Amino acid sequence: MNAGQDLIGKDLCDHYAFRQGKVDWQIWITTGDAPLPRKLVITNRSDEARPQSVSYMAWNLKPTFTDAIFKFTPPRGAQAIGIRPLNTK
């Protein structure tokens, strides 16, 4: 169901709530040109305590890093592992 709108930080978000079996979950998605999830709440209804997991998400849409961050440098003493083809019938 559409549960209206709320602010997550300074972002106006559409709030949706869902029920699936013994789990309820809610998601807040930023309105506008960048509709990204900002908050997720999962509730376990099979437990009388109704435990919840709450996650907040912040997005960096213009990250700055160089290609070097993706370069693998093996630790000293590391050895390559040989890979053999899978035997097929």
Side-chain angles (χ1 to χ4, degrees):
M1 77 174 216
N2 184 331
Q5 293 184 318
D6 291 309
L7 287 173
I8 304 297
K10 294 180 181 180
D11 293 333
L12 181 63
C13 297
D14 291 318
H15 177 192
Y16 299 97
F18 303 89
R19 177 161 283 173
Q20 292 178 298
K22 299 285 184 176
V23 176
D24 288 348
W25 60 283
Q26 302 173 66
I27 190 165
W28 287 256
I29 301 172
T30 306
T31 62
D33 294 339
L36 298 167
R38 289 298 315 277
K39 181 178 177 182
L40 178 68
V41 176
I42 300 172
T43 305
N44 179 356
R45 291 184 308 106
S46 66
D47 185 329
E48 289 182 24
R50 303 291 190 259
Q52 289 186 331
S53 171
V54 180
S55 298
Y56 289 90
M57 291 155 260
W59 298 89
N60 178 358
L61 299 180
K62 295 183 181 180
T64 55
F65 50 85
T66 64
D67 289 343
I69 198 163
F70 297 103
K71 182 178 184 271
F72 174 69
T73 304
R76 180 175 294 179
Q79 297 179 5
I81 299 173
I83 299 177
R84 67 176 181 82
L86 179 65
N87 292 336
T88 60
K89 294 182 180 183

